[in-house]
Amino acid sequence: MATVELLFSALPNHVRTARLVAAAVARRAGVDEAVMDEVRLAVGEACSRAVGLHLSNNVSAPVRVVLVEDEKKLSIEVTDEVPHRPTGPRRDEHGSGSGAAVPGEAVAEEEDDMGLAVISGLVDDVEVSADETGGSIRMSWPTTPDAVL
C-alpha cells in the first residue's frame, strides 16, 4: 500500500498541481486510462471547492489531498479545515430562525452544491462528510492488478 500526501496553500493556481499529482499516482496505481480524465476532473473540482471554502472563510490552513493506493483501488481524499454548520434551518445575523439565508450564503451554497453534483457525476464511489472541524470528499477508483510501475 502506497500513500502520497499533498498539502498546498489555498490558492486556485495550486489546483492544477494537485490534478497532475493525482493523475500521476492514478496512472502508477493502474487506474484504467479511460477514466483518467474523470480522476483529473474530480480531483480538480474537489480541490477547487476546498480552495473556495478556505478563501471565502479566511482559513489560512492548507488544503490536504491524500492519495492511497492498495491492491484493488486508488482512494483520494480532499479535506478542508472550514467548520461546517449542521444542516437545518439557517439563522441570520440577528439569530432569527426564519429559514432565510444570510446574504451571499445562498450563492456560495449553490456553487458548492454544483461542485458536489459534478463530482458525483464523475465518480461512482464518493463519500462527502463535514463537521465542525472541516469537510472531506473521499473518492475511489478500481485499479488493474499487476500495473506497470
Side-chain angles (χ1 to χ4, degrees):
M1 175 150 67
T3 301
V4 174
E5 183 174 3
L6 176 65
L7 297 170
F8 65 89
S9 301
L11 298 171
N13 56 337
H14 293 310
V15 172
R16 181 175 185 270
T17 302
R19 280 196 316 259
L20 293 171
V21 170
V25 172
R27 189 167 282 115
R28 186 188 74 198
V31 171
D32 192 313
E33 203 57 41
V35 297
M36 290 301 290
D37 283 340
E38 294 172 9
V39 172
R40 278 190 288 273
L41 288 169
V43 169
E45 195 65 42
C47 289
S48 292
R49 177 183 177 271
V51 166
L53 287 168
H54 277 225
L55 293 176
S56 65
N57 289 280
N58 295 318
V59 173
S60 61
V63 172
R64 181 172 178 248
V65 182
V66 177
L67 305 99
V68 179
E69 165 193 345
D70 67 25
E71 295 172 11
K72 297 181 182 178
K73 69 180 178 180
L74 171 67
S75 298
I76 301 176
E77 183 176 18
V78 178
T79 58
D80 64 71
E81 292 192 23
V82 175
H84 295 264
R85 288 178 282 159
T87 57
R90 294 187 188 97
R91 304 214 176 265
D92 62 21
E93 64 270 13
H94 304 294
S96 70
S98 66
V102 175
E105 191 175 277
V107 173
E109 285 185 15
E110 280 180 30
E111 289 174 2
D112 189 38
D113 290 346
M114 182 64 79
L116 293 175
V118 168
I119 293 166
S120 295
L122 291 168
V123 185
D124 291 335
D125 186 11
V126 63
E127 178 185 321
V128 179
S129 61
D131 61 23
E132 62 280 347
T133 63
S136 168
I137 299 176
R138 182 174 295 131
M139 307 165 279
S140 66
W141 293 267
T143 58
T144 307
D146 303 322
V148 178
L149 297 178

